[in-house]
Amino acid sequence: MKLSHVHGYFILVLQAIFFVLFCVFVRYHPDANARFHPLFNETHFEEKLDKVKSDDPWGHSKMYPMFQDVHVMIFIGFGFLMMFLKRYGLSSVGINFLIAALCLQWAILVNGFFHLKEGVILVNLTALLGADFTAAAVLISFGVLLGKTTPTQLIILALIEVPVFAINEVIGRQYFGAVDIGDSMFVHVFGAYFGLAASLILYRRDASTEKEGSSYQSDMFAMIGTVFLWLYWPSFNAGTAPGDDQHRGIINTYISLISCCVTTYALSSLLDKHKKFDMVHVQNSTLAGGVAVGTAADLMIHPWGAALLGILAAVISVCGYVYITPLLASRLRIHDTCGVHNLHGLPGILAAIAGAVAAALASEATYGISLYEIFPARVPVEGSPELARLQQKMPDLEGGSGLSGSSQALFQLLTLVVTLVISIAGGIVTGCILRLSPLSVLKTEELYEDEKWWVMEAEDDEGHKGSVTIPMADNGAR
Amino acid sequence: MKLSHVHGYFILVLQAIFFVLFCVFVRYHPDANARFHPLFNETHFEEKLDKVKSDDPWGHSKMYPMFQDVHVMIFIGFGFLMMFLKRYGLSSVGINFLIAALCLQWAILVNGFFHLKEGVILVNLTALLGADFTAAAVLISFGVLLGKTTPTQLIILALIEVPVFAINEVIGRQYFGAVDIGDSMFVHVFGAYFGLAASLILYRRDASTEKEGSSYQSDMFAMIGTVFLWLYWPSFNAGTAPGDDQHRGIINTYISLISCCVTTYALSSLLDKHKKFDMVHVQNSTLAGGVAVGTAADLMIHPWGAALLGILAAVISVCGYVYITPLLASRLRIHDTCGVHNLHGLPGILAAIAGAVAAALASEATYGISLYEIFPARVPVEGSPELARLQQKMPDLEGGSGLSGSSQALFQLLTLVVTLVISIAGGIVTGCILRLSPLSVLKTEELYEDEKWWVMEAEDDEGHKGSVTIPMADNGAR
Amino acid sequence: MKLSHVHGYFILVLQAIFFVLFCVFVRYHPDANARFHPLFNETHFEEKLDKVKSDDPWGHSKMYPMFQDVHVMIFIGFGFLMMFLKRYGLSSVGINFLIAALCLQWAILVNGFFHLKEGVILVNLTALLGADFTAAAVLISFGVLLGKTTPTQLIILALIEVPVFAINEVIGRQYFGAVDIGDSMFVHVFGAYFGLAASLILYRRDASTEKEGSSYQSDMFAMIGTVFLWLYWPSFNAGTAPGDDQHRGIINTYISLISCCVTTYALSSLLDKHKKFDMVHVQNSTLAGGVAVGTAADLMIHPWGAALLGILAAVISVCGYVYITPLLASRLRIHDTCGVHNLHGLPGILAAIAGAVAAALASEATYGISLYEIFPARVPVEGSPELARLQQKMPDLEGGSGLSGSSQALFQLLTLVVTLVISIAGGIVTGCILRLSPLSVLKTEELYEDEKWWVMEAEDDEGHKGSVTIPMADNGAR
């Protein structure tokens, strides 16, 4: 049995382990547990019987549509966007499907371990949504390495990346009190630099082959992914925000995306010698605005601020594809198949900086008292007169760290730096593991090639091996 | 005029009949009728004027997103999944579209006849959702016969199947008091065995032809269907459940699907002699978890229970594709184009058994008093002291059948058996009708072939005029 | 630099102008502004902290799923439907993407100018939804001209059409008090005749070329667009309706669409000499029911009324494709690439007439007092005894125009006529501008051709030029 194809056993063993862990640790959250039902609370008996018509007090109904939007982004969005590779389409969507489903299980467990309640992992729709965000980070790293690894290597990467992701997010959100509603730091920056670091270790001179490009049709399939990502990004950025913060998050993301899209087309044409649009930019850079506004999506950055972020993101992203990605490959020995650095990396850093700036400028003048709901670390310390003042209006408010806007901004930047350090370190370690000789087995002609991993129709002798959609006229033997 | 192409007249006549029936019988449900408006209720005048901002007391807003998810599954999911056939893509999505739209009208009428209110059919969003579920059963049967029938035969099948479906569901839900929140018995088992029984009667030795396979591109189109089905299955299973039952239904389905997906990939690789993944399994077996957890999705099967069902479903489904489907065709003379038996049939039976087991084990210890909301047949009988005890907490509760858990489980299994009997009988009768000579007209080369049913660009000798993906050379007569 | 490729500069300049206008004029609506937060209202402090669990008083959660459905229709629906052109797929989805994003920004500004609040444009989810509707009108016009213009010409068309659209809608809704919940007049009729008028001016004899057709694959991509449009049309028609009106809007649209779909297939087959289905009809005419019921979707037209509109729409649309579109091109010098006249034009006029009829027949007998909520112009005049009677039940009700049903119907028809006049005039003016010689630069072979606008892989010599699945293995030169 070829070492490159051990993944079947590997996946089976993993699934068995996940199953055992689910048996031992995972339970329904009370919101989804029939025992903890309002019917037990005698004042809610009538509500139960009329439940379909009365308000849903558990709120999952409000989150569910946004959850499904994010879910579509993970499986349709990422999966189909990566189908631009003309000979790797089945793997792009198919291996994305496998890795994502695996990540979802692993993330429910790992994220759950960081939030154990009496030794068990409670699962509700919010936990499922969190797992989707974690999977996004892994799929972003996958995008850097797309076509150059075996499924086994990708699974190992996922196994390592998910806990490292969780650790980084705990440090950033709980210890540094950073805000990042759209996960531009915790998912996009993290996933991008984890993958780029691994790619550096896994560098191979023959990475750029003829199969690395797209075909007329593969570009069309990829647009399915691009457009669904673009449409649903407001749900990704604002899905976990409450109330009017969520409303603002939708608006900011939408405005950033429409400005980014238009700017992308302008630059794509202007930077081409024949002034033609380039599908690579349309498929990827139009999305950069969603990343760039992610950290600040729920903040009062004003519609012009969202538009500015979209424009800057497009500039950074298109210039990245035109100038930086080739340099990364030729000078820094980092080959980035999908140009992840231009969609998730650099725009993610822009998002973090924008978030820091917005945090520095945030005050009660702009936010009112909701400043302390959005920036919990800025709640005055216990015992201070400022806290007492607020507690007159919010009696349940507990003391916080009393950070100023500038301090919050510094913590935002610190979180960015720590995220970069942790993700790059994680990527390097992972790259070293993946480079171990039993694992690195792909020949040049096996890169970006579906035929290695998928049962495909037998092909005739004219060298269309691996493809059954064949230009027919020159193929009389079919 | 060829008998194979009478469908135009047939469809027109049917549409006219449906229209007349709509005129005579179908009305808006009060929830959608301007006359029965809270404005008439004097205590709600203020609410009406502020309606957009206040809570929507009619609840259609909560159901609508899930309704649309199911709607996408019927038309995108099934339609595109069946596009795997390399020369039948237009028919797969196109005839799916026609048959589904026809079924929706027929189902609104038929389902409505079973729930007449003062002699009229009241239609609201719930009725539309029910029609979508009915259509799903017919499309599942269509999957067994895909490519081997004329449109006329399929329409006749739909006309017969919809009422038989309705009768079976009334027997199961109303007379046996069976629960099946995700319709795994009433839709999946029913649709699969109806279709398989019809296929037995319609057996033809030449059913397996070269066109029965997929091409590189058709496999990619099919993945659009697969992934949308996979993503939205929680809406299918939990859409009609109330409150926290719905929350649990989403979680159970999600967990079953992610375990099923991963297990599918493992087995697909392990059972291949070159250890490669097979698109057939990825396109179909990854979904089996959704079916397998369907009957018990709103029950307290625990996350590990959902994961187990997903794993078992994948095992059954992949083994089905590898071992059973060929046997069905060669030994039992049942040719199953889409392998429906492996996705809807066997996993549906697994769902029914799981539902019975879960029903047997259900008690107030696990469910609290909501046991009686989920299993209405278990409400104690009128006049019993147990009912009186419950009525202290639920004053409006009416007496039920007082079933024990074991009795409920037996009724679940009885429902499965009756569903199998009715669906198989219905399929056999339908097969006999479809076999009548004026109807069975397809030659071997017309199987799985779009050109029979669709206006297509004339192709030139080079095989490219107007068409780029067509086996040209072997079809000079085109 | 070729004049045909100035669009890069043009887009960049426009984006800069939009950005400046956003800076100057656009602000968050109070619903999305942290300052205007219930926390400032002392009675709502508790609500804020429990916000995730309590009811969302701003309602964006209810509208958001429908908003996303419409958003998908604009970008996936229109974009992919237009991919039927076998050599214009990248442009169809790609230029649709660009023009739509540009329209969204322009529409937020223009629509906002008509509803300034203290000199600023307040943006909330409703404003974003309105921008999507405006973009739809422009994309409909684009469909008439698809493949025959440069991006620069399309941008100019969008810049003109958006304000003309807004003016027409203000005249119709505010001055004539017309109702049109699904925008069949304001979007579909308007967009169609604007585009047709422009096409008349831009007529060229060589518009019908070999590339104007579809290929096997391009037809499949187009079905992605068709089916998503068909599924989500109820959101388009009912998205802005309140409460039970919305429920009724969903039901009416759904019923119209299923009848239209079935009738389309019947006629498509019957009108073909070989009785085959025609993808052109399936891709377009199945949707006509959505347009035809648009104006009356929230009215009490009864399920049979919706079904009738669907049937009539299919008849009109299919006959349009078969008989009228060729005549428009050959006799009236109006070349309509997508057959927009048959999907948006004629069915839109049918919608307007149906709306007028329904308005004439509307009375308190059918609607109860909600008559005055649906037809605000029918509220009795200030000071009249009829108003006093209503104010006993609706104390906040202000006086209106006191129109009778017939008067309302006349205003509906007047709105249709004015819409036609304004859209045709706008289209003619636009056509004249687009015809100015620096702009009209396409040669015959450049029509419906992606290669003009997009960076594409070099194609080999084997005559696969114009082939959309580019041969891989036999294309060493790639």
Side-chain angles (χ1 to χ4, degrees), chain A residues 30 33-49 51 58, chain B residues 244 248 300 363-373 389-390 392-395:
Chain A
N33 190 322
R35 278 216 53 177
F36 299 91
H37 200 281
L39 220 55
F40 272 129
N41 180 342
E42 295 187 315
T43 60
H44 289 287
F45 295 155
E46 245 58 64
E47 275 179 40
K48 174 56 183 170
L49 297 172
K51 183 187 288 288
W58 294 279
Chain B
D244 71 317
R248 188 167 52 253
M300 291 288 287
S363 67
E364 273 194 49
T366 330
Y367 288 75
I369 294 176
S370 61
L371 179 75
Y372 305 103
E373 176 244 328
R389 174 181 67 93
L390 291 175
Q392 283 173 3
K393 296 183 189 177
M394 295 185 280

Side-chain angles (χ1 to χ4, degrees), chain A residues 309-362:
Chain A
L309 281 175
I311 291 168
L312 291 176
V315 173
I316 289 170
S317 187
V318 177
C319 290
Y321 275 105
V322 177
Y323 303 118
I324 301 180
T325 298
L327 273 177
L328 277 187
S330 60
R331 300 295 176 88
L332 292 187
R333 301 171 47 101
I334 301 176
H335 185 273
D336 180 4
T337 310
C338 293
V340 160
H341 190 232
N342 309 313
L343 170 54
H344 302 277
L346 294 174
I349 290 177
L350 171 62
I353 295 170
V357 170
L361 298 175

Side-chain angles (χ1 to χ4, degrees), chain A residues 62 86 216-217 231 235 243 246-248 252 258 265 276-277 300 302 365-367 373 393 463 474, chain C residues 28 32-35 45 48 51 54 60 64 68 87 94 125 450-451 453 455 462 468-469 473-474 478:
Chain A
K62 239 180 276 167
K86 58 185 154 185
Y216 198 47
Q217 235 111 37
L231 292 168
S235 299
Q246 188 180 71
H247 199 163
R248 187 168 52 254
N252 282 337
I258 55 183
Y265 275 85
K276 294 185 179 181
F277 300 124
M300 289 288 287
H302 305 295
T366 330
Y367 288 74
E373 177 245 329
K393 297 183 187 177
D474 62 350
Chain C
Y28 297 126
N33 191 323
R35 278 215 53 176
F45 295 155
K48 175 56 184 172
K51 184 186 287 286
S54 72
H60 80 262
Y64 187 68
Q68 281 290 19
R87 283 294 303 174
L125 191 61
D450 271 334
E451 220 256 327
W453 312 112
V455 170
E462 276 191 49
V468 292
T469 297
D474 62 351
R478 259 175 134 266

Side-chain angles (χ1 to χ4, degrees), chain C residues 389-402:
Chain C
R389 172 183 66 94
L390 291 176
Q391 279 168 336
Q392 284 174 1
K393 297 182 186 175
M394 294 186 280
D396 296 332
L397 192 63
E398 294 177 0
S401 311

Side-chain angles (χ1 to χ4, degrees), chain A residues 358-379:
Chain A
L361 298 175
S363 67
E364 275 193 47
T366 330
Y367 288 74
I369 294 177
S370 62
L371 178 75
Y372 305 103
E373 177 245 329
I374 291 178
F375 296 103
R378 293 191 62 176
V379 175

